[in-house]
Amino acid sequence: MTTPNIPPVDAELALAEVRARRAQVVDTNLVPDWFWYGIAVLMMLFVAAMESEIGWLIAVGTIVYALGLATLILALVRRARVQVRQELIGVRGALAIAGFTVTLVAIGVALGFTLDALGVPLPATLGCLPVAIGLAVGGPRLMSHLRRLMLSRPVAGPR
């Protein structure tokens, strides 16, 4: 069997098409900004409702949180048409996600406990505020970072 002689310009065009399709797949599956904002708002509402210690407000806050979260997740799942392979995110991407998560949790827990120890009113709600801001601001930045990581990987993948 002979190898076909493909002109360099055709090879470049084919590779550009592969890269464009990969970028399309990556962009389709990144978590959109609206999801991060929605999670931040729902989280703040839920924590404030819990901390109010008012029975009906806790019930309403729990229902709003559960329905809101389910709606956000459903909208996200419906939006994603394909799934990105784990190899595309790589170790650096997984570490970025883990670092983002651990940092926000540490900030929220440490601030909440510190405010509680100082006797500040609504310590959990106030401790959650920087976490919500971190989600709303950092979530889209994390997605940009993951996009760059995924698109920087070789088109053919690891060999």
Side-chain angles (χ1 to χ4, degrees):
M1 185 182 244
T2 62
T3 305
N5 188 10
I6 300 172
V9 70
D10 288 346
E12 284 181 44
L13 289 172
L15 191 55
E17 178 66 21
V18 169
R19 286 189 177 121
R21 297 287 181 175
R22 180 176 64 171
Q24 187 178 24
V25 168
V26 167
D27 291 342
T28 299
N29 286 285
L30 290 175
V31 177
D33 294 357
W34 55 261
F35 183 83
W36 297 102
Y37 306 145
I39 292 292
V41 168
L42 285 172
M43 183 179 61
M44 286 301 302
L45 291 174
F46 180 70
V47 171
M50 294 302 113
E51 204 164 39
S52 75
E53 297 182 8
I54 300 170
W56 68 268
L57 193 53
I58 292 171
V60 169
T62 301
I63 292 168
V64 167
Y65 179 77
L67 291 175
L69 185 61
T71 301
L72 284 174
I73 291 170
L74 251 163
L76 186 65
V77 168
R78 286 182 160 210
R79 181 182 172 275
R81 292 184 291 261
V82 293
Q83 188 172 356
V84 174
R85 292 178 21 217
Q86 281 183 316
E87 297 86 32
L88 196 54
I89 291 176
V91 174
R92 288 179 23 207
L95 289 174
I97 294 168
F100 179 73
T101 304
V102 168
T103 299
L104 289 181
V105 168
I107 288 169
V109 170
L111 183 57
F113 280 137
T114 301
L115 293 173
D116 187 45
L118 294 173
V120 175
L122 304 173
T125 303
L126 293 174
C128 196
L129 189 58
V131 176
I133 292 168
L135 284 170
V137 174
R141 289 186 177 172
L142 175 64
M143 293 301 102
S144 293
H145 175 70
L146 292 176
R147 182 181 192 279
R148 283 191 304 276
L149 281 177
M150 288 187 279
L151 294 178
S152 70
R153 299 189 62 88
V155 173
R159 297 214 176 223

